[in-house]
Amino acid sequence: MTRIRNALLEDAAEIDLLASPTRIEIVDTLEAFGEAVSVAELAVALGRPADSLYYHLRQLADGGLVEEEAAPDGRRYRSRTRKGDRLRLRYRPGTTANAEAVGRVAASVLRVAGRDFERALADPATVVEGPRRELWAARGKGWVDAAELAEINRLLARLMELVQKPAAERPRGKLVALTWVLAPVEAKPARRTPAPRKPRAR
């Protein structure tokens, strides 16, 4: 079977395939494995029943984002990307079908992140301090110049490299998810404080 190599998604219909938290988790996990896996292996990694994945795998395979292979022990699935590569969305901002689809995927990504955070927070064994901390949510807001924005992007890219290295290329450690949003925000003008009233002369 010839594998589809293009990792960049721009078509709204393809992007919309990822507007489901379950399908996002499936693709993320397949990319983390870096090789073809069975539905049973995928179900264990996701902590979901195997029966709940077949519909989503069929949608992803029919849409070309996931490849399905015959194997002696049953069907196996892999991401369509090259080893070590990941699916990426190309944004077309404005009033476009692409932008609407990207927005739906971003909302799903944040829902998945919220679920991941809640599950980890409920586990008393989760490490929340020190150099091996594995649970953290934060929001920062401030003004940056062009050089600082470039540095932020470099650091984010490096973080994704660390997280997205295929499992086959490293000893199996802990599976983690990293979610972030970088967005420009409109600086609202400060409200003018009314001058204090002078007391009336009597």
Side-chain angles (χ1 to χ4, degrees):
M1 177 179 180
T2 303
R3 297 193 56 200
I4 302 170
R5 298 299 188 181
N6 183 19
L8 197 60
L9 303 182
E10 183 174 1
D11 179 73
E14 279 195 325
I15 293 171
D16 258 330
L17 287 169
L18 297 176
S20 153
T22 300
R23 290 198 281 273
I24 287 171
E25 289 187 284
I26 287 172
V27 171
D28 281 348
T29 306
L30 288 176
E31 290 179 335
F33 274 113
E35 59 189 7
V37 297
S38 68
V39 175
E41 291 171 304
L42 186 60
V44 169
L46 290 171
R48 292 173 178 267
D51 288 349
S52 70
L53 302 179
Y54 285 106
Y55 169 78
H56 296 287
L57 284 166
R58 173 53 47 211
Q59 294 292 309
L60 290 166
D62 287 347
L65 301 192
V66 160
E67 294 178 350
E68 189 176 20
E69 303 174 355
D73 58 346
R75 313 232 26 112
R76 301 181 77 81
Y77 299 86
R78 66 166 74 242
S79 169
R80 83 180 196 183
T81 52
R82 295 183 181 88
K83 187 176 180 180
D85 202 355
R86 300 288 171 129
L87 290 175
R88 302 183 306 281
L89 308 186
R90 173 171 279 163
Y91 299 177
R92 296 297 185 198
T95 309
T96 66
N98 168 283
E100 291 176 6
V102 167
R104 286 189 286 271
V105 172
S108 289
V109 166
L110 295 174
R111 284 199 299 275
V112 172
R115 293 174 192 174
D116 290 341
F117 191 91
E118 288 176 8
R119 280 194 294 262
L121 193 60
D123 183 352
T126 299
V127 181
V128 294
E129 294 180 324
R132 297 187 184 276
R133 181 176 185 169
E134 57 192 359
L135 184 66
W136 197 347
R139 174 175 162 85
K141 182 178 178 180
W143 282 263
V144 295
D145 61 24
E148 290 165 334
L149 185 58
E151 177 68 0
I152 289 170
N153 278 283
R154 186 190 68 77
L155 292 170
L156 288 173
R158 176 58 181 148
L159 287 172
M160 296 305 279
E161 283 178 14
L162 290 172
V163 171
Q164 294 182 333
K165 190 174 182 182
E169 295 179 11
R170 70 168 94 201
R172 188 63 59 89
K174 178 163 286 192
L175 186 64
V176 299
L178 174 66
T179 305
W180 49 266
V181 172
L182 173 66
V185 294
E186 183 180 353
K188 297 179 181 177
R191 292 185 177 180
R192 293 182 62 184
T193 304
R197 289 185 172 183
K198 293 182 180 178
R200 290 185 179 182
R202 293 187 179 184

PDB file of all heavy atoms in Angstrom, residues 102-118:
ATOM      1  N   VAL A 102     -10.922  25.046  11.516  1.00  0.00           N
ATOM      2  CA  VAL A 102      -9.816  25.154  12.473  1.00  0.00           C
ATOM      3  C   VAL A 102     -10.341  25.551  13.847  1.00  0.00           C
ATOM      4  O   VAL A 102      -9.895  25.026  14.882  1.00  0.00           O
ATOM      5  CB  VAL A 102      -8.760  26.162  11.973  1.00  0.00           C
ATOM      6  CG1 VAL A 102      -7.771  26.518  13.083  1.00  0.00           C
ATOM      7  CG2 VAL A 102      -8.012  25.601  10.761  1.00  0.00           C
ATOM      8  N   GLY A 103     -11.305  26.464  13.892  1.00  0.00           N
ATOM      9  CA  GLY A 103     -11.889  26.878  15.166  1.00  0.00           C
ATOM     10  C   GLY A 103     -12.561  25.724  15.894  1.00  0.00           C
ATOM     11  O   GLY A 103     -12.446  25.588  17.119  1.00  0.00           O
ATOM     12  N   ARG A 104     -13.249  24.878  15.125  1.00  0.00           N
ATOM     13  CA  ARG A 104     -13.897  23.707  15.743  1.00  0.00           C
ATOM     14  C   ARG A 104     -12.854  22.736  16.293  1.00  0.00           C
ATOM     15  O   ARG A 104     -13.044  22.150  17.368  1.00  0.00           O
ATOM     16  CB  ARG A 104     -14.799  23.015  14.728  1.00  0.00           C
ATOM     17  CG  ARG A 104     -16.091  23.778  14.433  1.00  0.00           C
ATOM     18  CD  ARG A 104     -17.060  22.963  13.595  1.00  0.00           C
ATOM     19  NE  ARG A 104     -16.644  22.851  12.212  1.00  0.00           N
ATOM     20  CZ  ARG A 104     -16.964  23.716  11.255  1.00  0.00           C
ATOM     21  NH1 ARG A 104     -17.674  24.790  11.527  1.00  0.00           N
ATOM     22  NH2 ARG A 104     -16.566  23.513  10.003  1.00  0.00           N
ATOM     23  N   VAL A 105     -11.759  22.548  15.566  1.00  0.00           N
ATOM     24  CA  VAL A 105     -10.702  21.651  16.053  1.00  0.00           C
ATOM     25  C   VAL A 105     -10.064  22.229  17.318  1.00  0.00           C
ATOM     26  O   VAL A 105      -9.827  21.499  18.294  1.00  0.00           O
ATOM     27  CB  VAL A 105      -9.636  21.415  14.964  1.00  0.00           C
ATOM     28  CG1 VAL A 105      -8.452  20.647  15.536  1.00  0.00           C
ATOM     29  CG2 VAL A 105     -10.236  20.645  13.796  1.00  0.00           C
ATOM     30  N   ALA A 106      -9.797  23.527  17.322  1.00  0.00           N
ATOM     31  CA  ALA A 106      -9.193  24.155  18.509  1.00  0.00           C
ATOM     32  C   ALA A 106     -10.092  23.982  19.730  1.00  0.00           C
ATOM     33  O   ALA A 106      -9.614  23.684  20.835  1.00  0.00           O
ATOM     34  CB  ALA A 106      -8.929  25.638  18.243  1.00  0.00           C
ATOM     35  N   ALA A 107     -11.405  24.136  19.542  1.00  0.00           N
ATOM     36  CA  ALA A 107     -12.333  23.951  20.660  1.00  0.00           C
ATOM     37  C   ALA A 107     -12.289  22.509  21.169  1.00  0.00           C
ATOM     38  O   ALA A 107     -12.314  22.272  22.384  1.00  0.00           O
ATOM     39  CB  ALA A 107     -13.752  24.325  20.226  1.00  0.00           C
ATOM     40  N   SER A 108     -12.187  21.557  20.258  1.00  0.00           N
ATOM     41  CA  SER A 108     -12.098  20.149  20.668  1.00  0.00           C
ATOM     42  C   SER A 108     -10.796  19.858  21.397  1.00  0.00           C
ATOM     43  O   SER A 108     -10.770  19.108  22.377  1.00  0.00           O
ATOM     44  CB  SER A 108     -12.228  19.237  19.441  1.00  0.00           C
ATOM     45  OG  SER A 108     -13.547  19.248  18.948  1.00  0.00           O
ATOM     46  N   VAL A 109      -9.697  20.445  20.908  1.00  0.00           N
ATOM     47  CA  VAL A 109      -8.402  20.273  21.568  1.00  0.00           C
ATOM     48  C   VAL A 109      -8.478  20.744  23.017  1.00  0.00           C
ATOM     49  O   VAL A 109      -7.978  20.086  23.941  1.00  0.00           O
ATOM     50  CB  VAL A 109      -7.300  21.028  20.803  1.00  0.00           C
ATOM     51  CG1 VAL A 109      -6.032  21.161  21.637  1.00  0.00           C
ATOM     52  CG2 VAL A 109      -6.989  20.341  19.481  1.00  0.00           C
ATOM     53  N   LEU A 110      -9.114  21.883  23.228  1.00  0.00           N
ATOM     54  CA  LEU A 110      -9.217  22.419  24.583  1.00  0.00           C
ATOM     55  C   LEU A 110     -10.125  21.556  25.458  1.00  0.00           C
ATOM     56  O   LEU A 110      -9.869  21.405  26.657  1.00  0.00           O
ATOM     57  CB  LEU A 110      -9.711  23.864  24.539  1.00  0.00           C
ATOM     58  CG  LEU A 110      -8.738  24.846  23.868  1.00  0.00           C
ATOM     59  CD1 LEU A 110      -9.367  26.231  23.747  1.00  0.00           C
ATOM     60  CD2 LEU A 110      -7.420  24.925  24.631  1.00  0.00           C
ATOM     61  N   ARG A 111     -11.160  20.960  24.864  1.00  0.00           N
ATOM     62  CA  ARG A 111     -12.003  20.044  25.640  1.00  0.00           C
ATOM     63  C   ARG A 111     -11.209  18.812  26.072  1.00  0.00           C
ATOM     64  O   ARG A 111     -11.309  18.353  27.208  1.00  0.00           O
ATOM     65  CB  ARG A 111     -13.236  19.620  24.826  1.00  0.00           C
ATOM     66  CG  ARG A 111     -14.303  20.686  24.729  1.00  0.00           C
ATOM     67  CD  ARG A 111     -15.659  20.109  24.329  1.00  0.00           C
ATOM     68  NE  ARG A 111     -15.658  19.470  23.032  1.00  0.00           N
ATOM     69  CZ  ARG A 111     -15.822  20.091  21.872  1.00  0.00           C
ATOM     70  NH1 ARG A 111     -15.971  21.408  21.848  1.00  0.00           N
ATOM     71  NH2 ARG A 111     -15.823  19.424  20.732  1.00  0.00           N
ATOM     72  N   VAL A 112     -10.412  18.273  25.144  1.00  0.00           N
ATOM     73  CA  VAL A 112      -9.567  17.123  25.487  1.00  0.00           C
ATOM     74  C   VAL A 112      -8.600  17.492  26.612  1.00  0.00           C
ATOM     75  O   VAL A 112      -8.412  16.729  27.565  1.00  0.00           O
ATOM     76  CB  VAL A 112      -8.790  16.622  24.250  1.00  0.00           C
ATOM     77  CG1 VAL A 112      -7.774  15.552  24.648  1.00  0.00           C
ATOM     78  CG2 VAL A 112      -9.739  16.073  23.200  1.00  0.00           C
ATOM     79  N   ALA A 113      -7.989  18.680  26.506  1.00  0.00           N
ATOM     80  CA  ALA A 113      -7.042  19.115  27.535  1.00  0.00           C
ATOM     81  C   ALA A 113      -7.722  19.231  28.894  1.00  0.00           C
ATOM     82  O   ALA A 113      -7.147  18.854  29.926  1.00  0.00           O
ATOM     83  CB  ALA A 113      -6.424  20.458  27.137  1.00  0.00           C
ATOM     84  N   GLY A 114      -8.951  19.748  28.905  1.00  0.00           N
ATOM     85  CA  GLY A 114      -9.686  19.850  30.165  1.00  0.00           C
ATOM     86  C   GLY A 114      -9.949  18.490  30.787  1.00  0.00           C
ATOM     87  O   GLY A 114      -9.803  18.304  32.003  1.00  0.00           O
ATOM     88  N   ARG A 115     -10.302  17.518  29.951  1.00  0.00           N
ATOM     89  CA  ARG A 115     -10.528  16.158  30.456  1.00  0.00           C
ATOM     90  C   ARG A 115      -9.244  15.545  30.989  1.00  0.00           C
ATOM     91  O   ARG A 115      -9.230  14.907  32.047  1.00  0.00           O
ATOM     92  CB  ARG A 115     -11.099  15.280  29.355  1.00  0.00           C
ATOM     93  CG  ARG A 115     -12.486  15.660  28.907  1.00  0.00           C
ATOM     94  CD  ARG A 115     -12.902  14.814  27.710  1.00  0.00           C
ATOM     95  NE  ARG A 115     -14.102  15.330  27.088  1.00  0.00           N
ATOM     96  CZ  ARG A 115     -14.611  14.860  25.965  1.00  0.00           C
ATOM     97  NH1 ARG A 115     -14.023  13.848  25.343  1.00  0.00           N
ATOM     98  NH2 ARG A 115     -15.705  15.383  25.438  1.00  0.00           N
ATOM     99  N   ASP A 116      -8.146  15.731  30.228  1.00  0.00           N
ATOM    100  CA  ASP A 116      -6.846  15.211  30.684  1.00  0.00           C
ATOM    101  C   ASP A 116      -6.490  15.794  32.049  1.00  0.00           C
ATOM    102  O   ASP A 116      -6.026  15.079  32.955  1.00  0.00           O
ATOM    103  CB  ASP A 116      -5.738  15.577  29.687  1.00  0.00           C
ATOM    104  CG  ASP A 116      -5.846  14.836  28.367  1.00  0.00           C
ATOM    105  OD1 ASP A 116      -6.528  13.795  28.315  1.00  0.00           O
ATOM    106  OD2 ASP A 116      -5.243  15.304  27.381  1.00  0.00           O
ATOM    107  N   PHE A 117      -6.691  17.096  32.188  1.00  0.00           N
ATOM    108  CA  PHE A 117      -6.330  17.771  33.440  1.00  0.00           C
ATOM    109  C   PHE A 117      -7.175  17.246  34.601  1.00  0.00           C
ATOM    110  O   PHE A 117      -6.652  16.937  35.672  1.00  0.00           O
ATOM    111  CB  PHE A 117      -6.508  19.286  33.288  1.00  0.00           C
ATOM    112  CG  PHE A 117      -5.915  20.067  34.421  1.00  0.00           C
ATOM    113  CD1 PHE A 117      -4.598  20.511  34.357  1.00  0.00           C
ATOM    114  CD2 PHE A 117      -6.658  20.357  35.554  1.00  0.00           C
ATOM    115  CE1 PHE A 117      -4.041  21.227  35.408  1.00  0.00           C
ATOM    116  CE2 PHE A 117      -6.102  21.064  36.606  1.00  0.00           C
ATOM    117  CZ  PHE A 117      -4.798  21.508  36.530  1.00  0.00           C
ATOM    118  N   GLU A 118      -8.480  17.128  34.390  1.00  0.00           N
ATOM    119  CA  GLU A 118      -9.366  16.658  35.456  1.00  0.00           C
ATOM    120  C   GLU A 118      -9.011  15.242  35.892  1.00  0.00           C
ATOM    121  O   GLU A 118      -9.007  14.933  37.089  1.00  0.00           O
ATOM    122  CB  GLU A 118     -10.819  16.724  34.995  1.00  0.00           C
ATOM    123  CG  GLU A 118     -11.354  18.143  34.890  1.00  0.00           C
ATOM    124  CD  GLU A 118     -12.763  18.185  34.329  1.00  0.00           C
ATOM    125  OE1 GLU A 118     -13.379  17.105  34.162  1.00  0.00           O
ATOM    126  OE2 GLU A 118     -13.242  19.298  34.043  1.00  0.00           O
TER     127      GLU A 118
END
